[in-house]
Amino acid sequence: MPAVIKVLHVLPSLSLKLGGPTQVALNLVSALRKVGIDAEIATTNDDQDTVLDVPLGQRVIYHNVPVYFFPRFPIRMKEFLFSTELTRWLWQHQKNYDLVETHYLFSYASSCSAAIARQFGTPYLVNTIGQLTPWALAQGELKKKIYSTVIERRNLNRAATIHCTSNGEAEDVSQFGIQTPKMVLPLGVTPPISIPDAKQKLRQQYQIPADVPIILFLSRLHPKKRPDLLLQTLEQLSLDYSFHLIMAGSGTPVYIKTLKDLAATLKLTSHTTFTGFVTGQDKDLLLQGSDLFVLPTYSENFGIVLAEAMVAGLPVITTAGTQIAPDIADAEAGLIVDGDSTALGAAISQLLQNPHQRTILGQNGQRFALNNYAWPAIAQNLATAYEAIVKQQPLPDCVLPTASSTKTIT
């Protein structure tokens, strides 16, 4: 019987407030364990403005997966998150793993883990989570250029493989000048438990009339996601259409106040509900009870929340900056628009006045997501790739990048 492959996933934080990256790491490790990979996580106790109440320096089961938490430096520096204790543990224990996968770039945990892996000759993968898109690189550009020159390019160039979640992300890695082999595997989504009469229950909860379509924005409230553009676009549409916008997600108090002030200025307060951070059944109710999902983001390496909307049967509107935009377009699961208010408004208007089209797009998206974003199949393909890397064999065809294109409407 072949030996079980032991893999360590290293990332700076498992704060649920970070949204997609945390959920992906937890779900990925859980799925890998179900297909026979002994996968674990090492991270800090970061919870953005506070710390997680978890045991430190020992193996604990957190959201059903094994995790080692270590204290982060008291002064939080975005996602860099220095940790002396994590460093010491990695030096002592990382060599006991067959393979290491790091998540995030420009962060201490990932950079440290990659350097230690090289020291002990342990193969490692780098999951860039979309941090090499042109938009992402332009944020803090000088700091990232320096960090890349001193640290990150070496980490990427000496990795066994770069783990990408879309063909577009693989192209971004190549554009950054990295020749390391790349593999592409989409992220997975778990179909939600069906909520009977979700539309009625959602309207009762937020006191929204039965005949008013609900537009859902569910993501981290951050300028990258452009919730401000959505509000500005809806101001024009409010002259001709009835709708209610639900903005769900966490963000900095300053930015949330900015958005609420903008909604008031645009006279959208009565049309808009800010729910704050949602999870579990509350999140499922939003996805199943709304009428359309809009994410006018600058950039997404995958867009896990879009996949979640699709698997819930919700039609989506997003931009070509989302790396799964080709999937959405090809599956006819939503509308892909240029990143301006005119195109966004036209797409929202089109779906507001066409319930039948919303239904067809939602059904297409749900069917596509169930067939292509299933965790068991994704984990099995990744396990096959892990085995090839450990045995120093070529990557299997099932994870190799393919050409992609995106159709947009203007």
Side-chain angles (χ1 to χ4, degrees):
M1 184 175 181
V4 174
I5 296 176
K6 193 173 179 63
V7 180
L8 180 68
H9 289 252
V10 181
L11 63 161
S13 175
L14 274 180
S15 172
L16 293 177
K17 298 172 185 175
L18 292 173
T22 294
Q23 291 293 339
V24 166
L26 292 170
N27 291 332
L28 177 60
V29 170
S30 176
L32 284 169
R33 294 184 66 82
K34 290 176 182 176
V35 297
I37 298 294
D38 186 5
E40 300 177 328
I41 295 175
T43 187
T44 72
N45 63 342
D46 171 71
D47 195 21
Q48 291 201 307
D49 51 342
T50 182
V51 294
L52 297 172
D53 182 15
V54 291
L56 300 177
Q58 59 184 285
R59 189 179 188 269
V60 299
I61 301 301
Y62 181 76
H63 288 262
N64 300 315
V65 301
V67 180
Y68 293 88
F69 288 99
F70 300 91
R72 66 166 168 84
F73 191 69
I75 300 175
R76 192 180 194 277
M77 298 175 284
K78 294 190 176 181
E79 276 73 51
F80 187 74
L81 301 178
F82 177 78
S83 173
T84 301
E85 289 81 356
L86 174 59
T87 307
R88 186 179 298 113
W89 187 89
L90 290 173
W91 271 110
Q92 294 172 348
H93 299 279
Q94 186 168 282
K95 60 181 178 290
N96 299 325
Y97 293 84
D98 300 304
L99 194 65
V100 175
E101 178 157 0
T102 67
H103 302 245
Y104 280 87
L105 301 180
F106 313 112
S107 68
Y108 178 78
S110 302
S111 297
C112 177
S113 178
I116 292 173
R118 291 197 301 273
Q119 183 69 26
F120 288 107
T122 304
Y124 67 93
L125 295 77
V126 177
N127 193 326
T128 66
I129 68 165
Q131 291 176 293
L132 294 182
T133 65
W135 185 89
L137 289 172
Q139 313 309 304
E141 184 176 7
L142 179 58
K143 290 181 181 179
K144 288 180 178 177
K145 282 185 176 179
I146 295 172
Y147 197 95
S148 296
T149 300
V150 177
I151 297 173
E152 210 63 271
R153 286 188 181 275
R154 180 182 302 143
N155 288 341
L156 291 164
N157 282 320
R158 297 188 183 181
T161 302
I162 308 299
H163 183 173
C164 304
T165 57
S166 66
N167 291 308
E169 187 176 9
E171 293 169 8
D172 288 335
V173 174
S174 296
Q175 289 295 320
F176 194 64
I178 304 302
Q179 301 304 314
T180 303
K182 290 166 278 292
M183 68 178 187
V184 174
L185 278 171
L187 300 179
V189 289
T190 302
I193 297 174
S194 178
I195 301 176
D197 303 320
K199 291 187 181 298
Q200 179 182 347
K201 290 178 179 178
L202 184 60
R203 282 163 172 77
Q204 288 176 345
Q205 181 169 332
Y206 293 107
Q207 299 181 337
I208 301 170
D211 60 343
V212 174
I214 296 176
I215 300 170
L216 176 62
F217 176 101
L218 172 60
S219 192
R220 187 162 50 103
L221 296 181
H222 186 277
K224 171 186 175 181
K225 315 288 184 175
R226 294 204 288 182
D228 55 330
L229 175 65
L230 178 55
L231 287 170
Q232 292 160 359
T233 301
L234 291 179
E235 178 200 20
Q236 298 299 317
L237 295 182
S238 66
L239 301 175
D240 300 308
Y241 298 98
S242 176
F243 60 81
H244 193 93
L245 170 66
I246 295 182
M247 277 204 168
S250 60
T252 65
V254 172
Y255 190 61
I256 291 174
K257 183 180 184 304
T258 298
L259 291 175
K260 289 182 177 180
D261 290 345
L262 178 60
T265 300
L266 299 175
K267 295 182 173 55
L268 290 175
T269 300
S270 62
H271 299 274
T272 306
T273 297
F274 289 84
T275 69
F277 178 73
V278 293
T279 189
Q281 191 172 30
D282 291 334
K283 180 178 177 180
D284 289 342
L285 181 62
L286 287 175
L287 289 168
Q288 294 179 47
S290 298
D291 293 289
L292 63 148
F293 185 94
V294 183
L295 185 67
T297 182
Y298 277 114
S299 172
E300 298 290 324
N301 72 302
F302 183 81
I304 188 65
V305 71
L306 289 163
E308 290 174 333
M310 290 165 67
V311 82
L314 194 57
V316 301
I317 297 173
T318 191
T319 66
T322 300
Q323 299 285 24
I324 63 167
D327 286 352
I328 295 170
D330 291 344
E332 297 184 353
L335 304 179
I336 309 303
V337 302
D338 290 332
D340 62 74
S341 182
T342 300
L344 181 62
I348 295 174
S349 171
Q350 180 178 330
L351 294 192
L352 283 177
Q353 59 185 320
N354 196 332
H356 178 68
Q357 185 182 16
R358 296 201 301 264
T359 299
I360 296 301
L361 294 175
Q363 291 173 345
N364 291 344
Q366 186 174 57
R367 184 166 51 252
F368 181 89
L370 289 172
N371 290 335
N372 294 275
Y373 299 151
W375 272 122
I378 293 167
Q380 188 59 64
N381 286 339
L382 182 54
T384 302
Y386 281 169
E387 183 178 3
I389 292 169
V390 170
K391 293 182 178 179
Q392 298 183 336
Q393 297 174 345
L395 289 171
D397 291 342
C398 62
V399 301
L400 296 180
T402 58
S404 63
S405 61
T406 304
K407 296 175 284 185
T408 62
I409 69 170
T410 57

Tab-separated table of all heavy atoms in Angstrom, residues 42-74:
chain	number	residue	atom	x	y	z
A	42	ALA	N	-0.738	25.459	8.982
A	42	ALA	CA	-0.009	26.245	9.976
A	42	ALA	C	-0.248	27.710	9.681
A	42	ALA	O	-0.114	28.146	8.533
A	42	ALA	CB	1.487	25.926	9.935
A	43	THR	N	-0.606	28.493	10.700
A	43	THR	CA	-0.972	29.890	10.494
A	43	THR	C	-0.840	30.657	11.801
A	43	THR	O	-0.377	30.114	12.815
A	43	THR	CB	-2.416	29.974	9.948
A	43	THR	OG1	-2.715	31.318	9.585
A	43	THR	CG2	-3.430	29.498	10.980
A	44	THR	N	-1.239	31.917	11.790
A	44	THR	CA	-1.241	32.715	13.005
A	44	THR	C	-2.657	32.783	13.572
A	44	THR	O	-3.612	32.329	12.956
A	44	THR	CB	-0.743	34.151	12.744
A	44	THR	OG1	-1.754	34.873	12.021
A	44	THR	CG2	0.549	34.153	11.944
A	45	ASN	N	-2.762	33.401	14.743
A	45	ASN	CA	-4.076	33.566	15.380
A	45	ASN	C	-4.735	34.882	14.993
A	45	ASN	O	-5.644	35.358	15.673
A	45	ASN	CB	-3.953	33.463	16.901
A	45	ASN	CG	-3.086	34.584	17.495
A	45	ASN	OD1	-2.321	35.235	16.776
A	45	ASN	ND2	-3.185	34.801	18.795
A	46	ASP	N	-4.304	35.461	13.901
A	46	ASP	CA	-4.847	36.749	13.448
A	46	ASP	C	-6.347	36.688	13.196
A	46	ASP	O	-6.856	35.721	12.639
A	46	ASP	CB	-4.134	37.168	12.154
A	46	ASP	CG	-4.795	38.372	11.500
A	46	ASP	OD1	-4.671	39.472	12.050
A	46	ASP	OD2	-5.447	38.178	10.455
A	47	ASP	N	-7.048	37.750	13.607
A	47	ASP	CA	-8.468	37.923	13.284
A	47	ASP	C	-8.716	39.383	12.934
A	47	ASP	O	-9.636	40.020	13.443
A	47	ASP	CB	-9.350	37.487	14.446
A	47	ASP	CG	-10.806	37.301	14.021
A	47	ASP	OD1	-11.051	37.114	12.815
A	47	ASP	OD2	-11.694	37.349	14.899
A	48	GLN	N	-7.819	39.912	12.091
A	48	GLN	CA	-7.817	41.318	11.663
A	48	GLN	C	-7.619	42.260	12.845
A	48	GLN	O	-6.505	42.406	13.329
A	48	GLN	CB	-9.066	41.637	10.859
A	48	GLN	CG	-9.069	40.924	9.491
A	48	GLN	CD	-9.974	41.556	8.483
A	48	GLN	OE1	-11.140	41.770	8.723
A	48	GLN	NE2	-9.431	41.862	7.324
A	49	ASP	N	-8.677	42.891	13.373
A	49	ASP	CA	-8.503	43.882	14.429
A	49	ASP	C	-8.332	43.252	15.809
A	49	ASP	O	-8.114	43.951	16.798
A	49	ASP	CB	-9.702	44.845	14.455
A	49	ASP	CG	-11.036	44.102	14.491
A	49	ASP	OD1	-11.059	42.903	14.162
A	49	ASP	OD2	-12.040	44.736	14.845
A	50	THR	N	-8.408	41.933	15.902
A	50	THR	CA	-8.212	41.231	17.160
A	50	THR	C	-7.516	39.912	16.863
A	50	THR	O	-6.892	39.757	15.810
A	50	THR	CB	-9.570	41.018	17.875
A	50	THR	OG1	-9.352	40.376	19.125
A	50	THR	CG2	-10.508	40.175	17.027
A	51	VAL	N	-7.565	38.953	17.808
A	51	VAL	CA	-6.972	37.635	17.572
A	51	VAL	C	-8.010	36.562	17.867
A	51	VAL	O	-8.954	36.776	18.634
A	51	VAL	CB	-5.710	37.395	18.425
A	51	VAL	CG1	-4.594	38.340	18.011
A	51	VAL	CG2	-6.024	37.551	19.911
A	52	LEU	N	-7.830	35.406	17.241
A	52	LEU	CA	-8.736	34.287	17.453
A	52	LEU	C	-8.526	33.677	18.842
A	52	LEU	O	-7.391	33.606	19.330
A	52	LEU	CB	-8.505	33.208	16.393
A	52	LEU	CG	-8.768	33.600	14.935
A	52	LEU	CD1	-8.290	32.485	14.000
A	52	LEU	CD2	-10.244	33.894	14.704
A	53	ASP	N	-9.604	33.249	19.446
A	53	ASP	CA	-9.531	32.584	20.750
A	53	ASP	C	-9.325	31.091	20.505
A	53	ASP	O	-10.259	30.291	20.526
A	53	ASP	CB	-10.819	32.839	21.543
A	53	ASP	CG	-10.781	32.211	22.932
A	53	ASP	OD1	-9.673	31.839	23.385
A	53	ASP	OD2	-11.853	32.083	23.553
A	54	VAL	N	-8.074	30.721	20.236
A	54	VAL	CA	-7.734	29.337	19.904
A	54	VAL	C	-6.481	28.927	20.676
A	54	VAL	O	-5.642	29.771	21.021
A	54	VAL	CB	-7.480	29.174	18.385
A	54	VAL	CG1	-8.760	29.345	17.585
A	54	VAL	CG2	-6.413	30.155	17.904
A	55	PRO	N	-6.312	27.622	20.962
A	55	PRO	CA	-5.069	27.147	21.575
A	55	PRO	C	-3.891	27.406	20.643
A	55	PRO	O	-4.023	27.302	19.424
A	55	PRO	CB	-5.317	25.649	21.761
A	55	PRO	CG	-6.805	25.494	21.750
A	55	PRO	CD	-7.307	26.543	20.804
A	56	LEU	N	-2.749	27.734	21.213
A	56	LEU	CA	-1.576	28.087	20.414
A	56	LEU	C	-0.494	27.015	20.520
A	56	LEU	O	-0.333	26.383	21.569
A	56	LEU	CB	-1.013	29.431	20.869
A	56	LEU	CG	-1.960	30.634	20.761
A	56	LEU	CD1	-1.291	31.886	21.323
A	56	LEU	CD2	-2.395	30.855	19.324
A	57	GLY	N	0.222	26.822	19.408
A	57	GLY	CA	1.373	25.934	19.409
A	57	GLY	C	1.054	24.462	19.477
A	57	GLY	O	1.950	23.658	19.771
A	58	GLN	N	-0.169	24.082	19.214
A	58	GLN	CA	-0.548	22.677	19.255
A	58	GLN	C	-1.564	22.370	18.160
A	58	GLN	O	-2.216	23.271	17.634
A	58	GLN	CB	-1.145	22.314	20.611
A	58	GLN	CG	-2.373	23.129	20.983
A	58	GLN	CD	-2.896	22.826	22.381
A	58	GLN	OE1	-3.514	21.781	22.590
A	58	GLN	NE2	-2.616	23.707	23.330
A	59	ARG	N	-1.687	21.109	17.827
A	59	ARG	CA	-2.615	20.682	16.780
A	59	ARG	C	-4.039	20.718	17.322
A	59	ARG	O	-4.356	20.071	18.306
A	59	ARG	CB	-2.278	19.260	16.316
A	59	ARG	CG	-3.027	18.774	15.082
A	59	ARG	CD	-2.541	17.350	14.760
A	59	ARG	NE	-3.048	16.853	13.488
A	59	ARG	CZ	-4.164	16.179	13.328
A	59	ARG	NH1	-4.961	15.939	14.369
A	59	ARG	NH2	-4.523	15.726	12.131
A	60	VAL	N	-4.886	21.519	16.686
A	60	VAL	CA	-6.280	21.614	17.095
A	60	VAL	C	-7.169	21.390	15.867
A	60	VAL	O	-6.733	21.568	14.728
A	60	VAL	CB	-6.603	22.988	17.729
A	60	VAL	CG1	-5.763	23.217	18.974
A	60	VAL	CG2	-6.393	24.121	16.733
A	61	ILE	N	-8.384	20.975	16.111
A	61	ILE	CA	-9.348	20.826	15.028
A	61	ILE	C	-10.166	22.109	14.969
A	61	ILE	O	-10.869	22.463	15.912
A	61	ILE	CB	-10.255	19.608	15.240
A	61	ILE	CG1	-9.411	18.342	15.326
A	61	ILE	CG2	-11.258	19.497	14.103
A	61	ILE	CD1	-8.559	18.063	14.108
A	62	TYR	N	-10.038	22.810	13.848
A	62	TYR	CA	-10.680	24.106	13.658
A	62	TYR	C	-11.510	24.029	12.381
A	62	TYR	O	-10.978	23.778	11.306
A	62	TYR	CB	-9.612	25.200	13.549
A	62	TYR	CG	-10.125	26.607	13.378
A	62	TYR	CD1	-10.663	27.310	14.456
A	62	TYR	CD2	-10.064	27.242	12.140
A	62	TYR	CE1	-11.117	28.609	14.298
A	62	TYR	CE2	-10.520	28.547	11.981
A	62	TYR	CZ	-11.050	29.220	13.064
A	62	TYR	OH	-11.504	30.512	12.912
A	63	HIS	N	-12.821	24.202	12.511
A	63	HIS	CA	-13.729	24.039	11.369
A	63	HIS	C	-13.479	22.697	10.676
A	63	HIS	O	-13.409	22.606	9.446
A	63	HIS	CB	-13.587	25.201	10.390
A	63	HIS	CG	-14.160	26.491	10.901
A	63	HIS	ND1	-15.410	26.949	10.574
A	63	HIS	CD2	-13.646	27.409	11.752
A	63	HIS	CE1	-15.648	28.104	11.189
A	63	HIS	NE2	-14.599	28.405	11.913
A	64	ASN	N	-13.295	21.683	11.485
A	64	ASN	CA	-13.178	20.288	11.038
A	64	ASN	C	-11.876	19.944	10.334
A	64	ASN	O	-11.787	18.891	9.692
A	64	ASN	CB	-14.367	19.910	10.136
A	64	ASN	CG	-15.701	20.049	10.840
A	64	ASN	OD1	-15.851	19.629	11.990
A	64	ASN	ND2	-16.669	20.659	10.168
A	65	VAL	N	-10.844	20.808	10.429
A	65	VAL	CA	-9.545	20.466	9.850
A	65	VAL	C	-8.450	20.710	10.887
A	65	VAL	O	-8.583	21.571	11.766
A	65	VAL	CB	-9.249	21.282	8.569
A	65	VAL	CG1	-10.319	21.046	7.519
A	65	VAL	CG2	-9.124	22.748	8.873
A	66	PRO	N	-7.322	19.967	10.801
A	66	PRO	CA	-6.224	20.148	11.762
A	66	PRO	C	-5.413	21.412	11.462
A	66	PRO	O	-4.959	21.605	10.330
A	66	PRO	CB	-5.387	18.888	11.586
A	66	PRO	CG	-5.687	18.409	10.209
A	66	PRO	CD	-7.090	18.822	9.896
A	67	VAL	N	-5.251	22.240	12.477
A	67	VAL	CA	-4.558	23.524	12.312
A	67	VAL	C	-3.601	23.742	13.483
A	67	VAL	O	-3.920	23.417	14.635
A	67	VAL	CB	-5.556	24.696	12.251
A	67	VAL	CG1	-4.809	26.022	12.066
A	67	VAL	CG2	-6.570	24.509	11.138
A	68	TYR	N	-2.434	24.301	13.199
A	68	TYR	CA	-1.507	24.779	14.216
A	68	TYR	C	-1.549	26.300	14.188
A	68	TYR	O	-1.225	26.920	13.167
A	68	TYR	CB	-0.083	24.304	13.929
A	68	TYR	CG	0.120	22.813	14.042
A	68	TYR	CD1	-0.106	21.971	12.947
A	68	TYR	CD2	0.534	22.240	15.243
A	68	TYR	CE1	0.085	20.599	13.046
A	68	TYR	CE2	0.736	20.865	15.355
A	68	TYR	CZ	0.502	20.052	14.248
A	68	TYR	OH	0.691	18.697	14.352
A	69	PHE	N	-1.964	26.922	15.281
A	69	PHE	CA	-2.015	28.377	15.382
A	69	PHE	C	-0.823	28.889	16.197
A	69	PHE	O	-0.430	28.266	17.188
A	69	PHE	CB	-3.305	28.831	16.081
A	69	PHE	CG	-4.556	28.670	15.265
A	69	PHE	CD1	-5.388	27.584	15.453
A	69	PHE	CD2	-4.902	29.623	14.315
A	69	PHE	CE1	-6.552	27.438	14.717
A	69	PHE	CE2	-6.061	29.486	13.564
A	69	PHE	CZ	-6.890	28.392	13.761
A	70	PHE	N	-0.301	30.057	15.790
A	70	PHE	CA	0.802	30.686	16.507
A	70	PHE	C	0.522	32.179	16.641
A	70	PHE	O	-0.118	32.777	15.774
A	70	PHE	CB	2.124	30.446	15.764
A	70	PHE	CG	2.457	28.990	15.633
A	70	PHE	CD1	2.036	28.268	14.512
A	70	PHE	CD2	3.140	28.321	16.628
A	70	PHE	CE1	2.308	26.914	14.394
A	70	PHE	CE2	3.419	26.967	16.526
A	70	PHE	CZ	2.997	26.265	15.407
A	71	PRO	N	0.977	32.797	17.723
A	71	PRO	CA	0.653	34.213	17.952
A	71	PRO	C	1.319	35.121	16.928
A	71	PRO	O	2.494	34.963	16.610
A	71	PRO	CB	1.189	34.477	19.364
A	71	PRO	CG	2.241	33.437	19.576
A	71	PRO	CD	1.781	32.230	18.824
A	72	ARG	N	0.550	36.046	16.403
A	72	ARG	CA	1.120	37.042	15.494
A	72	ARG	C	1.690	38.188	16.297
A	72	ARG	O	1.363	38.400	17.465
A	72	ARG	CB	0.059	37.557	14.523
A	72	ARG	CG	-1.078	38.367	15.149
A	72	ARG	CD	-1.855	39.106	14.056
A	72	ARG	NE	-3.109	39.684	14.504
A	72	ARG	CZ	-3.222	40.869	15.108
A	72	ARG	NH1	-2.146	41.579	15.383
A	72	ARG	NH2	-4.413	41.334	15.442
A	73	PHE	N	2.576	38.936	15.640
A	73	PHE	CA	3.161	40.124	16.259
A	73	PHE	C	2.042	41.094	16.622
A	73	PHE	O	1.097	41.268	15.843
A	73	PHE	CB	4.136	40.771	15.281
A	73	PHE	CG	4.995	41.842	15.892
A	73	PHE	CD1	5.969	41.515	16.808
A	73	PHE	CD2	4.815	43.174	15.534
A	73	PHE	CE1	6.769	42.499	17.368
A	73	PHE	CE2	5.604	44.161	16.094
A	73	PHE	CZ	6.585	43.828	17.013
A	74	PRO	N	2.077	41.708	17.824
A	74	PRO	CA	0.961	42.549	18.275
A	74	PRO	C	0.562	43.660	17.311
A	74	PRO	O	-0.612	43.998	17.194
A	74	PRO	CB	1.477	43.118	19.595
A	74	PRO	CG	2.466	42.110	20.085
A	74	PRO	CD	3.127	41.577	18.858
